Amino acid sequence: MEKILRIKNQDRLRKKVIALESKMRKIMEEKWHGYVWWQLPFKIDKVKDLLEMRAGYLNQMFRATPEEVKRLEDLNNLFLKKADEMRQRSAMLYVATKHQTGSSRCFAMHELSDILFKLTAIMRSIIVSQSA
């Protein structure tokens, strides 16, 4: 695993992943004395080892940079803030409509639905602007 962490070149990592997948495909396609790979413990162990190595290479390929981590933390904090604002508004609306009946209650529920729709749109626009 330490060897994997030393590789920084994306092309080299990609070639390693492709080579491992090719080895796995070969093991899975061939029969050994009439048995398929999942019927043979030593073949299962080999596939598991190859999968673990593949996971290591893929993790190294998609390792987050400090800038990406900071951007996602900021985005998460913004979502938490908006969700808390939404919770407070929903609570106020619930308290305001708690004793209402009939059409006035229906109007309040429609208003709550409208607020949730707007929050969804706001979060979607935040995601789009942050990913650009």
Side-chain angles (χ1 to χ4, degrees):
M1 196 64 162
E2 294 172 14
K3 206 161 89 171
I4 294 172
L5 294 176
R6 285 188 238 145
I7 302 173
K8 304 291 183 202
N9 185 316
Q10 292 290 319
D11 291 330
R12 191 166 169 216
L13 288 166
R14 192 175 300 111
K15 286 178 184 176
K16 294 278 191 184
V17 169
I18 291 169
L20 287 172
E21 289 172 346
S22 177
K23 286 179 186 178
M24 285 188 293
R25 192 176 312 110
K26 184 179 177 186
I27 290 171
M28 292 176 182
E29 288 174 351
E30 67 186 16
K31 288 190 175 186
W32 191 75
H33 297 289
Y35 294 99
V36 291
W37 73 273
W38 50 268
Q39 294 174 319
L40 302 164
F42 71 94
K43 294 275 187 173
I44 292 172
D45 291 340
K46 182 65 176 170
V47 170
K48 282 182 182 178
D49 291 343
L50 292 171
L51 282 171
E52 286 176 8
M53 289 175 60
R54 180 180 179 271
Y57 285 123
L58 289 172
N59 286 341
Q60 183 66 13
M61 282 176 69
F62 296 105
R63 187 171 299 275
T65 64
E67 296 83 23
E68 290 170 331
V69 171
K70 174 75 172 115
R71 184 181 68 82
L72 289 175
E73 286 174 349
D74 292 344
L75 187 59
N76 188 50
N77 290 335
L78 184 59
F79 282 149
L80 288 173
K81 179 182 169 197
K82 292 295 181 185
D84 191 50
E85 290 172 9
M86 190 67 215
R87 183 195 56 78
Q88 291 172 359
R89 289 177 68 187
S90 298
M92 289 188 313
L93 184 60
Y94 173 76
V95 169
T97 61
K98 188 175 181 181
H99 301 290
Q100 295 177 348
T101 59
S103 63
S104 61
R105 186 178 193 119
C106 182
F107 175 77
M109 297 320 279
H110 177 70
E111 186 178 341
L112 179 60
S113 175
D114 187 48
I115 290 170
L116 291 171
F117 179 77
K118 287 178 184 176
L119 179 65
T120 303
I122 289 169
M123 289 186 164
R124 186 176 294 126
S125 67
I126 291 169
I127 291 170
V128 170
S129 67
Q130 290 292 322
S131 64

